[in-house]
Amino acid sequence: MGAGGQAAVHHGGCLCGAVRYRLTGPLRAVINCHCSQCRRFHGHYGAYTTLAQANFALTRQDGLGWYAASPTAERGFCTRCGSSLFWRPVGRDNISVAAGTLDAPTGLETVGDIFVADKGDYYVIDGDRPSRPQGGGDALADEIRALKSGA
């Protein structure tokens, strides 16, 4: 919550402005995903925050395209400038937003890495962050949040 009890509002979009969005409510801390699909979609690993789909609104979608990357996930991008924007699991009520597409200041921090077993061979992952060999970004973020709160 922001000052005065108002929910936090974040805005963001693609490089050319043909896709813009508004996020309301809490955002999950950023998790880096090193899976091969994220690396191909972004040209490097993906850095995502996540929120409930109900708290996500497109304010401009002239260039928005969706690609069915697998039977269980879709990836959103700008068809004009090529920006990688979103990842959403089919049949779930959340959406992941590429952290680099958020307008500053974000107030977010990167807290962990997933799919590290699939990472590219051309870089090293910072060993100071918690990581998982496979998926589970939301569970990892929950564990980190609990550790920080002393629960």
Side-chain angles (χ1 to χ4, degrees):
M1 290 290 201
Q6 296 178 359
V9 177
H10 297 274
H11 297 271
C14 68
L15 182 61
C16 72
V19 180
R20 295 287 300 164
Y21 59 82
R22 180 181 68 249
L23 313 176
T24 56
L27 301 178
R28 187 198 70 197
V30 175
I31 300 286
N32 295 330
C33 181
H34 300 270
C35 78
S36 61
Q37 282 193 11
C38 278
R39 287 188 292 107
R40 290 184 185 275
F41 187 60
H42 294 283
H44 195 38
Y45 60 82
Y48 288 102
T49 183
T50 299
L51 71 155
Q53 183 76 41
N55 295 337
F56 169 83
L58 290 163
T59 57
R60 184 171 177 192
Q61 55 185 322
D62 303 359
L64 182 61
W66 288 97
Y67 172 68
S70 73
T72 60
E74 299 175 309
R75 294 182 180 273
F77 62 97
C78 178
T79 61
R80 293 185 184 171
C81 67
S83 293
S84 309
L85 299 164
F86 315 115
W87 178 90
R88 67 181 177 195
V90 174
R92 292 188 47 201
D93 65 349
N94 63 313
I95 186 166
S96 293
V97 176
T101 67
L102 284 158
D103 297 343
T106 68
L108 296 172
E109 68 174 315
T110 300
V111 297
D113 297 271
I114 58 172
F115 287 102
V116 297
D118 296 341
K119 78 167 207 58
D121 62 359
Y122 60 91
Y123 62 94
V124 176
I125 297 173
D126 178 357
D128 292 340
R129 286 190 304 258
S131 66
R132 291 206 167 161
Q134 298 301 318
D138 288 335
L140 180 60
D142 289 344
E143 290 170 20
I144 293 164
R145 190 172 30 256
L147 286 172
K148 287 183 175 184
S149 69

